[in-house]
mmCIF file of all heavy atoms in Angstrom:
data_model
loop_
_atom_site.group_PDB
_atom_site.id
_atom_site.type_symbol
_atom_site.label_atom_id
_atom_site.label_comp_id
_atom_site.label_asym_id
_atom_site.label_seq_id
_atom_site.Cartn_x
_atom_site.Cartn_y
_atom_site.Cartn_z
ATOM 1 N N GLU A 11 74.424 71.482 -77.564
ATOM 2 C CA GLU A 11 75.137 72.051 -76.425
ATOM 3 C C GLU A 11 76.407 72.740 -76.914
ATOM 4 O O GLU A 11 77.157 72.187 -77.726
ATOM 5 C CB GLU A 11 75.493 70.924 -75.451
ATOM 6 C CG GLU A 11 75.910 71.457 -74.099
ATOM 7 C CD GLU A 11 76.179 70.320 -73.130
ATOM 8 O OE1 GLU A 11 75.829 69.169 -73.469
ATOM 9 O OE2 GLU A 11 76.728 70.590 -72.059
ATOM 10 N N SER A 13 76.412 75.536 -78.682
ATOM 11 C CA SER A 13 76.165 76.457 -79.799
ATOM 12 C C SER A 13 74.917 77.242 -79.474
ATOM 13 O O SER A 13 73.878 77.069 -80.082
ATOM 14 C CB SER A 13 76.023 75.705 -81.111
ATOM 15 O OG SER A 13 74.863 74.937 -81.092
ATOM 16 N N TYR A 32 63.923 58.267 -93.020
ATOM 17 C CA TYR A 32 62.701 58.171 -92.230
ATOM 18 C C TYR A 32 61.460 58.548 -93.019
ATOM 19 O O TYR A 32 60.397 58.764 -92.446
ATOM 20 C CB TYR A 32 62.812 59.050 -90.982
ATOM 21 C CG TYR A 32 63.805 58.526 -89.989
ATOM 22 C CD1 TYR A 32 64.858 59.305 -89.544
ATOM 23 C CD2 TYR A 32 63.699 57.218 -89.528
ATOM 24 C CE1 TYR A 32 65.774 58.806 -88.652
ATOM 25 C CE2 TYR A 32 64.620 56.719 -88.633
ATOM 26 C CZ TYR A 32 65.647 57.521 -88.197
ATOM 27 O OH TYR A 32 66.566 57.014 -87.312
ATOM 28 N N GLY A 45 53.719 37.855 -100.053
ATOM 29 C CA GLY A 45 52.798 38.959 -99.802
ATOM 30 C C GLY A 45 52.110 38.847 -98.453
ATOM 31 O O GLY A 45 51.833 39.858 -97.806
ATOM 32 N N PHE A 61 59.066 52.825 -88.600
ATOM 33 C CA PHE A 61 60.300 53.176 -89.295
ATOM 34 C C PHE A 61 60.060 54.227 -90.380
ATOM 35 O O PHE A 61 60.906 54.456 -91.222
ATOM 36 C CB PHE A 61 60.931 51.932 -89.909
ATOM 37 C CG PHE A 61 61.231 50.892 -88.879
ATOM 38 C CD1 PHE A 61 60.287 49.963 -88.514
ATOM 39 C CD2 PHE A 61 62.453 50.899 -88.241
ATOM 40 C CE1 PHE A 61 60.566 49.029 -87.541
ATOM 41 C CE2 PHE A 61 62.734 49.966 -87.263
ATOM 42 C CZ PHE A 61 61.781 49.027 -86.906
ATOM 43 N N THR A 81 57.933 35.699 -106.312
ATOM 44 C CA THR A 81 58.551 35.176 -107.522
ATOM 45 C C THR A 81 58.296 36.098 -108.704
ATOM 46 O O THR A 81 57.170 36.530 -108.914
ATOM 47 C CB THR A 81 57.948 33.804 -107.834
ATOM 48 O OG1 THR A 81 57.724 33.107 -106.625
ATOM 49 C CG2 THR A 81 58.857 33.003 -108.719
ATOM 50 N N GLY A 87 59.308 40.224 -116.191
ATOM 51 C CA GLY A 87 60.572 40.945 -116.190
ATOM 52 C C GLY A 87 60.488 42.350 -116.780
ATOM 53 O O GLY A 87 60.909 43.315 -116.136
ATOM 54 N N TRP A 102 65.477 52.974 -103.961
ATOM 55 C CA TRP A 102 66.085 51.780 -103.356
ATOM 56 C C TRP A 102 65.203 50.578 -103.633
ATOM 57 O O TRP A 102 64.000 50.733 -103.877
ATOM 58 C CB TRP A 102 66.249 51.977 -101.851
ATOM 59 C CG TRP A 102 67.188 53.086 -101.517
ATOM 60 C CD1 TRP A 102 68.556 52.999 -101.410
ATOM 61 C CD2 TRP A 102 66.858 54.455 -101.261
ATOM 62 N NE1 TRP A 102 69.084 54.230 -101.101
ATOM 63 C CE2 TRP A 102 68.073 55.138 -101.006
ATOM 64 C CE3 TRP A 102 65.675 55.185 -101.230
ATOM 65 C CZ2 TRP A 102 68.126 56.493 -100.711
ATOM 66 C CZ3 TRP A 102 65.711 56.537 -100.940
ATOM 67 C CH2 TRP A 102 66.939 57.176 -100.691
ATOM 68 N N GLY A 107 62.416 37.959 -99.846
ATOM 69 C CA GLY A 107 62.195 36.518 -99.987
ATOM 70 C C GLY A 107 63.194 35.880 -100.922
ATOM 71 O O GLY A 107 63.819 36.529 -101.759
ATOM 72 N N GLY A 113 65.609 33.533 -107.172
ATOM 73 C CA GLY A 113 64.794 32.590 -107.918
ATOM 74 C C GLY A 113 64.367 31.400 -107.077
ATOM 75 O O GLY A 113 63.457 30.681 -107.446
ATOM 76 N N GLY A 148 66.090 44.153 -92.302
ATOM 77 C CA GLY A 148 66.466 44.656 -93.612
ATOM 78 C C GLY A 148 66.165 46.138 -93.758
ATOM 79 O O GLY A 148 66.942 46.890 -94.353
ATOM 80 N N ASP A 154 70.303 52.463 -92.489
ATOM 81 C CA ASP A 154 71.707 52.705 -92.182
ATOM 82 C C ASP A 154 72.492 53.004 -93.452
ATOM 83 O O ASP A 154 73.323 53.917 -93.508
ATOM 84 C CB ASP A 154 72.265 51.468 -91.480
ATOM 85 C CG ASP A 154 73.636 51.713 -90.921
ATOM 86 O OD1 ASP A 154 73.737 52.523 -89.981
ATOM 87 O OD2 ASP A 154 74.600 51.123 -91.434
ATOM 88 N N ILE A 156 71.247 54.218 -96.240
ATOM 89 C CA ILE A 156 70.849 55.524 -96.773
ATOM 90 C C ILE A 156 71.592 56.630 -96.031
ATOM 91 O O ILE A 156 72.102 57.580 -96.631
ATOM 92 C CB ILE A 156 69.324 55.701 -96.642
ATOM 93 C CG1 ILE A 156 68.596 54.722 -97.553
ATOM 94 C CG2 ILE A 156 68.922 57.117 -96.998
ATOM 95 C CD1 ILE A 156 67.106 54.716 -97.356
ATOM 96 N N PRO A 168 70.448 35.761 -90.357
ATOM 97 C CA PRO A 168 69.957 35.490 -89.014
ATOM 98 C C PRO A 168 71.000 35.858 -87.978
ATOM 99 O O PRO A 168 72.193 35.838 -88.252
ATOM 100 C CB PRO A 168 69.712 33.979 -89.019
ATOM 101 C CG PRO A 168 69.819 33.545 -90.404
ATOM 102 C CD PRO A 168 70.581 34.549 -91.167
ATOM 103 N N LEU A 192 59.373 22.969 -68.154
ATOM 104 C CA LEU A 192 60.399 23.635 -68.945
ATOM 105 C C LEU A 192 59.952 24.967 -69.519
ATOM 106 O O LEU A 192 60.763 25.725 -70.032
ATOM 107 C CB LEU A 192 60.825 22.734 -70.110
ATOM 108 C CG LEU A 192 61.559 21.470 -69.718
ATOM 109 C CD1 LEU A 192 61.769 20.628 -70.943
ATOM 110 C CD2 LEU A 192 62.885 21.834 -69.092
#
Side-chain angles (χ1 to χ4, degrees):
Chain A
E11 195 177 349
S13 67
Y32 291 124
F61 301 88
T81 323
W102 296 274
D154 190 67
I156 293 173
L192 293 174

